[in-house]
Amino acid sequence: MSTINEMLAVNKLWAEEQVQADPDYFIRAAQTQEPEVLWIGCADSRVGPDKLIGLPMGSIFVHRNVANIFASNDLNSLAVLEFAIDQLHIPNIIVCGHYGCSGVRVAMTHSGIQPVDLWLDQVRFIYQRNQAELSKLDQQQRWNRLAELNVEAQVHNICRNTIVREAWKRGQAVNIIGMIYDIHDGLLKQLGLEFSSPAPHLGR
Ligand code: CO
């Protein structure tokens, strides 16, 4: 386990190395940010986006929470989306779920009234909506599949959102992509979920 002093020492070393390699690095970084991606992912410590997609600092605008939920009644999610689209004009939104997600497992196996239970009700509803498909699978497959269905639901929530709708209406490029990360092999997988204009089945 690293101590805070060790973390600060590593930070100091890192900052020095950046300046040695590129003296203007922090001058440029402090001036502006032009991220290419808004990343909506799980808070799980194993799925940090910078490492996964190898983009340099300043490229990813990040929003993470338990089980990568984009809820249209969540002020935090909405503020992130609005800032990303209206201020930063980010062209790509990636919703990334992951296999082995504890949040998804809890939603499948447990209900209650603690904050995390209430938050995960949103995944529980997806589970209930897809009972017919999920009940045919064994426990492990069901856990994986619900993680995928959760990504799909969150992508759809974003596509239906007024902030995105308005951006599309004025011709601003916004691509929304759903992916899943496999914590067992480190690979990202696309889920055939990609929208860059209103989809008829998501309501015009
Ligand atoms: Co997770």
Side-chain angles (χ1 to χ4, degrees):
M1 189 74 73
S2 304
T3 65
I4 293 294
N5 282 341
E6 284 164 350
M7 291 181 203
L8 291 173
V10 170
N11 167 257
K12 191 161 181 286
L13 196 64
W14 170 78
E16 284 165 6
E17 282 169 3
Q18 299 304 313
V19 174
Q20 265 165 23
D22 175 359
D24 293 336
Y25 182 82
F26 290 110
I27 296 165
R28 275 200 320 277
Q31 274 166 356
T32 184
Q33 61 162 340
E34 290 177 353
E36 302 159 46
V37 174
L38 163 60
W39 177 278
I40 298 176
C42 185
D44 190 296
S45 61
R46 297 163 293 182
V47 294
D50 313 59
K51 287 263 198 296
L52 300 193
I53 55 177
L55 291 178
M57 198 160 80
S59 308
I60 315 176
F61 194 61
V62 181
H63 178 71
R64 293 169 70 182
N65 59 46
V66 174
N68 44 272
I69 293 168
F70 180 90
S72 44
N73 60 356
D74 171 28
L75 197 53
N76 190 354
S77 299
L78 291 171
V80 165
L81 186 68
E82 185 186 346
F83 195 78
I85 290 184
D86 293 349
Q87 302 297 320
L88 298 173
H89 305 109
I90 299 177
N92 299 298
I93 300 175
I94 295 177
V95 177
C96 186
H98 69 104
Y99 296 134
C101 182
S102 309
V104 169
R105 192 186 54 214
V106 168
M108 269 171 47
T109 56
H110 176 81
S111 63
I113 54 163
Q114 294 305 313
V116 77
D117 297 318
L118 299 176
W119 177 250
L120 291 171
D121 272 345
Q122 298 162 95
V123 182
R124 217 167 275 121
F125 296 146
I126 299 164
Y127 182 52
Q128 285 158 4
R129 270 209 307 275
N130 293 279
Q131 269 290 352
E133 178 190 348
L134 293 168
S135 62
K136 296 188 188 110
L137 307 174
D138 70 27
Q139 181 82 2
Q140 182 67 40
Q141 291 169 329
R142 199 179 306 149
W143 187 12
N144 288 346
R145 183 61 185 140
L146 183 56
E148 295 176 355
L149 291 168
N150 181 38
V151 170
E152 183 179 88
Q154 307 315 326
V155 165
H156 290 175
N157 286 346
I158 295 169
C159 290
R160 289 193 186 99
N161 191 277
T162 321
I163 299 160
V164 170
R165 295 270 160 163
E166 289 298 317
W168 280 338
K169 214 184 279 178
R170 61 180 180 259
Q172 185 178 333
V174 182
N175 302 311
I176 301 149
I177 303 148
M179 287 188 194
I180 195 117
Y181 174 71
D182 194 336
I183 54 168
H184 305 96
D185 61 15
L187 296 176
L188 285 165
K189 184 172 83 176
Q190 284 200 266
L191 292 170
L193 295 166
E194 187 161 352
F195 298 93
S196 51
S197 58
H201 70 288
L202 298 177
R204 277 190 189 280

